[in-house]
């Protein structure tokens, strides 16, 4: 058997085995989990502030700090107005 042919077959075989192992690992990792819908929460936006950029990168990607009625603050690229409604979709992950 030619040595060059042997190494080519070895590399192809190893690649196929590694690919199959990755697919099996992905299936086994997520196979036992499922998400069940619990409900929906409705919240009202109480304040919107434009985030002060501190670098050139932040100036290129301006975002807003939005506070809702339960005092939760989150960052978003969308400009909300005070009084807008935000909905939380709640899911429970079953193992």
């Amino acid at each position: 058997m030619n040595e060059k042919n042997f190494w080519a077959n070895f590399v192809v075989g190893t690649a196929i085995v590694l690919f199959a192992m990755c697919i099996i690992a992905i299936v086994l990792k997520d196979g036992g989990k499922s998400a069940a819908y619990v409900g929906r929460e409705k919240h009202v936006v109480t304040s919107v502030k434009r985030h002060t950029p501190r670098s050139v990168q932040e100036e290129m990607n301006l975002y807003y700090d939005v506070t809702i009625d339960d005092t939760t603050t989150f960052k978003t690229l969308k400009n909300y107005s005070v009084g807008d409604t935000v909905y939380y979709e709640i899911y429970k992950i079953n193992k």
Side-chain angles (χ1 to χ4, degrees), residues 7-70:
W7 287 111
N9 289 338
F10 177 76
V11 170
V12 171
T14 304
I16 291 172
V17 169
L18 288 175
F19 179 74
M21 289 173 57
C22 288
I23 296 298
I24 291 170
I26 291 170
V27 169
L28 291 177
K29 181 180 179 220
D30 294 334
K33 297 179 183 176
S34 64
Y37 181 75
V38 174
R40 186 178 198 184
E41 287 184 6
K42 178 180 175 182
H43 296 281
V44 178
V45 175
T46 57
S47 72
V48 179
K49 294 179 186 173
R50 188 170 143 188
H51 183 75
T52 306
R54 295 187 178 104
S55 67
V56 175
Q57 288 81 13
E58 287 184 3
E59 287 179 11
M60 295 172 63
N61 297 314
L62 293 176
Y63 59 89
Y64 301 91
D65 295 322
V66 177
T67 304
I68 57 176
D69 57 1
D70 68 349

